[in-house]
Amino acid sequence: MRRWLEGLKQLRRYPSAVLGTALILFLIGLAVYTVVAIPYSQALDLWRGGEQWRMHPVNASPVWTDRLRGGDLPETQIISSADVTPEAEPFPGGRRLQIPLSFDYQSSAFPSEINLFLAAEEQARAPFVRLIWQAPDGREEVLGGRRMAREERVSISQDWALERRLGHIPHVGLMLDPETAARPGPAVLQGTHTLLLDVVLFDENAGLDADLVVYGRVHGVAGTDHQRRDLMVALMWGTPVALAFGLLAAVGTTVTTLVIAAMGVWYRGWVDAVIQRLTEVNMILPMLPILVMVGTLYSTSIWLMLGVVVALGIFSAGIKMYRAMLLPIREAPYIEAAKAYGASNARIILRYMVPRVLPVLIPTFVTLIPTFVFLEASLAVLGLGDPVLPTWGKVLNDAQEQSALYNGFYYWVLSPAFLLMLTGLGFAMLGFALDRVFNPRLRNL
């Protein structure tokens, strides 16, 4: 125990170990925070879909990327009828409401979309809604009227008749400065814009909820994808998934491999022969193609993939290395002493043989974790990732399918790639430092 404590103290002499430990602690802290802040069920709902998606812009870059360049691209604004006081005018059998949805727009770039979400209470006759756009300079544009269902989405940006009338796509035509309308690059008319809802309800007690969403061109810390999903959810939840997969796979393969190697050395004979032959056969089997075959023909569940990885990693080349290290230990005097006082085979293997190899096992274990993290991400990039879990590899796979780099959505690829690089760098630096501490032959290299 004293030797282990002294070895850990020596890590402070290596800046790479300190930096690697800091990176690992950051990832662990992010993983713990994610699990607490966004529970598993909530993360699945956020990633697979829900009402919150419709309020996000499509393929919006992170806010900080624009602000670093000194830009003022707009963020999404949501204007709710719950925040305004409508003008009510009753009439026999119903009432008329005028709901002004106003917002202050100061960006020099046009929004990416404008949508209106309506929800009416149950009533005998469907309400009638008339839409009027009021610009800061006093202009008014009637967008039309309609009878609405109980819940309805009015896609103002996709109103082709309005586009022909304005000469621009609606969210540009409604917000442009008339003096620049004829120019190749029309300017935004900044100020307070209002969408006035003129609503006729055929029930005196019925109400209407409305949300006007003026979609921006930037969103949050990580941006959004083609399905309006906030990529921050996948980047955050990808951390505990990646660390759990890498840790469980590394523990399952290294510990089991060491114990099996020790059993072969101790029992010798046909036990050692069988272990060596299985190892030699397994060494020529390609892991990635086998995982691709399992994912294609059976299931892409991350836990099934983890089980296959551990099963294939048990009889790995490490058994040969551990066997060579354990052979002289078997003939050591303290092993003969343990046999003399009647220690069982299991006690000799687990108490006296395996601990002697742990100084070599721990650096190998630490450097193996990012290997399995990259393996899980590689499977996801190939389309064989877990379809349920939001992971870094799944984000990269979606980016590849949507040609993110070709379309200029670099953030979509760089964010998960940066986290993967951070994971590999942290564990590699700590693992190499541990190797130098617990393997004295490397200290002078």
Side-chain angles (χ1 to χ4, degrees):
M1 188 66 180
R2 183 179 300 175
R3 180 188 175 189
W4 287 98
L5 293 176
E6 291 177 356
L8 293 177
K9 289 180 180 179
Q10 291 181 30
L11 286 176
R12 292 180 296 181
R13 296 167 44 195
Y14 299 95
S16 61
V18 176
L19 180 57
T21 303
L23 292 176
I24 294 172
L25 290 176
F26 165 74
L27 292 171
I28 293 175
L30 178 60
V32 173
Y33 172 78
T34 299
V35 174
V36 174
I38 311 176
Y40 180 74
S41 58
Q42 182 183 350
L44 294 186
D45 290 340
L46 288 171
W47 190 245
R48 290 186 294 185
E51 293 298 313
Q52 64 279 350
W53 280 14
R54 65 183 189 176
M55 302 300 183
H56 295 167
V58 177
N59 291 333
S61 60
V63 174
W64 58 270
T65 58
D66 175 66
R67 301 301 184 256
L68 284 178
R69 298 193 297 262
D72 66 339
L73 291 179
E75 298 183 57
T76 300
Q77 296 188 52
I78 302 175
I79 305 92
S80 175
S81 60
D83 300 328
V84 301
T85 303
E87 296 182 8
E89 180 183 342
F91 62 85
R95 58 179 177 156
R96 181 178 180 181
L97 299 178
Q98 288 196 332
I99 307 174
L101 301 177
S102 302
F103 61 97
D104 185 42
Y105 198 85
Q106 297 297 330
S107 175
S108 60
F110 290 97
S112 60
E113 289 180 89
I114 299 178
N115 286 332
L116 176 66
F117 298 94
L118 300 170
E121 297 178 5
E122 190 70 36
Q123 48 192 299
R125 292 178 59 185
F128 182 84
V129 180
R130 184 166 174 259
L131 308 179
I132 303 171
W133 187 274
Q134 297 175 342
D137 59 359
R139 290 180 296 113
E140 288 192 353
E141 186 72 44
V142 178
L143 308 185
R146 65 183 68 201
R147 287 193 178 276
M148 62 164 288
R150 187 172 180 180
E151 291 189 3
E152 189 165 340
R153 169 181 172 178
V154 181
S155 298
I156 298 175
S157 297
Q158 298 177 14
D159 189 334
W160 314 127
L162 181 60
E163 179 178 350
R164 289 193 296 270
R165 196 166 76 218
L166 296 174
H168 298 273
I169 54 178
H171 57 269
V172 172
L174 292 173
M175 300 186 66
L176 63 78
D177 186 343
E179 297 180 359
T180 65
R183 298 178 186 174
V188 178
L189 181 61
Q190 298 177 345
T192 301
H193 296 259
T194 301
L195 178 63
L196 180 64
L197 307 185
D198 191 1
V199 185
V200 178
L201 298 170
F202 299 97
D203 188 330
E204 295 179 355
N205 299 318
L208 178 76
D209 294 325
D211 289 315
L212 175 65
V213 184
V214 183
Y215 295 93
R217 297 187 177 275
V218 292
H219 180 86
V221 178
T224 62
D225 63 7
H226 63 297
Q227 297 184 28
R228 301 182 187 273
R229 297 178 296 192
D230 190 342
L231 292 178
M232 197 61 187
V233 175
L235 296 180
M236 291 178 66
W237 250 97
T239 307
V241 171
L243 293 182
F245 187 92
L247 181 63
L248 292 175
V251 169
T253 55
T254 54
V255 174
T256 310
T257 298
L258 178 56
V259 172
I260 290 177
M263 290 174 59
V265 169
W266 179 250
Y267 289 107
R268 293 186 174 181
W270 67 269
V271 175
D272 188 38
V274 170
I275 292 174
Q276 296 307 310
R277 299 298 83 75
L278 288 174
T279 301
E280 291 162 2
V281 171
N282 188 64
M283 286 172 61
I284 65 173
L285 295 177
M287 180 180 290
L288 186 59
I290 292 176
L291 292 173
V292 170
M293 182 177 64
V294 171
T296 303
L297 301 179
Y298 187 65
S299 172
T300 57
S301 169
I302 191 171
W303 308 119
L304 174 66
M305 292 295 182
L306 176 61
V308 175
V309 167
V310 172
L312 292 175
I314 288 175
F315 292 95
S316 63
I319 283 185
K320 299 275 187 186
M321 178 184 69
Y322 296 139
R323 181 176 183 270
M325 299 174 66
L326 289 165
L327 280 173
I329 294 175
R330 188 186 190 280
E331 308 300 331
Y334 68 89
I335 299 294
E336 295 296 330
K339 289 168 60 178
Y341 75 72
S344 64
N345 292 332
R347 181 176 177 82
I348 292 174
I349 293 172
L350 299 177
R351 181 67 180 84
Y352 300 114
M353 295 180 65
V354 168
R356 299 288 294 179
V357 191
L358 286 180
V360 177
L361 175 68
I362 289 182
T364 304
F365 163 76
V366 172
T367 53
L368 266 181
I369 293 177
T371 302
F372 292 115
V373 171
F374 296 151
L375 178 62
E376 186 276 329
S378 300
L379 291 172
V381 170
L382 293 174
L384 298 172
D386 195 307
V388 176
L389 288 174
T391 63
W392 298 336
K394 192 70 174 65
V395 173
L396 289 171
N397 176 251
D398 290 340
Q400 180 186 24
E401 291 182 350
Q402 299 299 317
S403 302
L405 292 178
Y406 177 79
N407 291 311
F409 307 135
Y410 300 105
Y411 65 92
W412 199 346
V413 177
L414 294 179
S415 298
F418 174 75
L419 288 173
L420 283 167
M421 181 194 70
L422 210 62
T423 304
L425 188 63
F427 282 101
M429 288 193 298
L430 178 60
F432 293 153
L434 286 170
D435 213 6
R436 292 173 67 88
V437 168
F438 291 108
N439 288 309
R441 298 175 186 174
L442 297 177
R443 292 180 185 174
N444 297 323
L445 296 181

